[in-house]
Amino acid sequence: MSNAIHYINKNHAELKATEHASIPEQAIDVVVGTVLDKVNLLKALDKALSFPNYFAHNWDSAWDCLTDSDAEHLRLDFSEVQQINTEDFNVFKSMIEDAYRDFGRPQLWVVG
């Protein structure tokens, strides 16, 4: 299991029963809305991390902007998500894991 991505049950997150399962207070919310896909993930990252104007709304550009940011912790809440493009979500998770492996950040907290 990766140290970059943590999956937390919503009830468990609210209880914060263990230190390793607690979401850091400084975690930045990545809000995707009801559809989790490439377009919404990239828009949400852009908004959450205030990417620069040259962000090209593709995975490579997201990688560049993400690794240039100071983001240490991200929180992705699935409470409103009704539809998931699993291929896009897997690419997003791979990007987070690669960034964490190369730069030691960010960590992603997936709450569902």
Side-chain angles (χ1 to χ4, degrees):
M1 182 165 197
S2 168
N3 288 329
I5 302 175
H6 306 274
Y7 297 90
I8 300 190
N9 177 295
K10 185 95 170 165
N11 293 333
H12 189 105
E14 290 169 359
L15 295 175
K16 295 187 178 184
T18 62
E19 183 176 333
H20 69 83
S22 297
I23 301 170
E25 288 183 23
Q26 69 272 29
I28 299 167
D29 287 317
V30 178
V31 181
V32 294
T34 59
V35 178
L36 192 147
D37 62 6
K38 179 181 179 179
V39 170
N40 288 324
L41 279 167
L42 293 175
K43 283 181 185 177
L45 276 176
D46 182 15
K47 183 175 181 180
L49 300 176
S50 301
F51 283 169
N53 291 336
Y54 58 80
F55 174 54
H57 292 272
N58 61 52
W59 292 123
D60 289 337
S61 186
W63 160 264
D64 291 339
C65 292
L66 177 67
T67 57
D68 284 345
S69 79
D70 293 331
E72 298 279 333
H73 306 282
L74 304 174
R75 177 180 30 240
L76 179 61
D77 191 337
F78 271 55
S79 62
E80 293 184 22
V81 175
Q82 297 174 10
Q83 182 181 354
I84 299 172
N85 180 312
T86 54
E87 183 177 337
D88 292 346
F89 187 45
N90 287 335
V91 170
F92 174 70
K93 291 186 298 183
S94 292
M95 182 179 66
I96 296 295
E97 289 171 343
D98 290 347
Y100 185 81
R101 183 182 60 246
D102 292 352
F103 297 95
R105 62 180 168 72
Q107 289 182 304
L108 174 66
W109 303 85
V110 180
V111 180

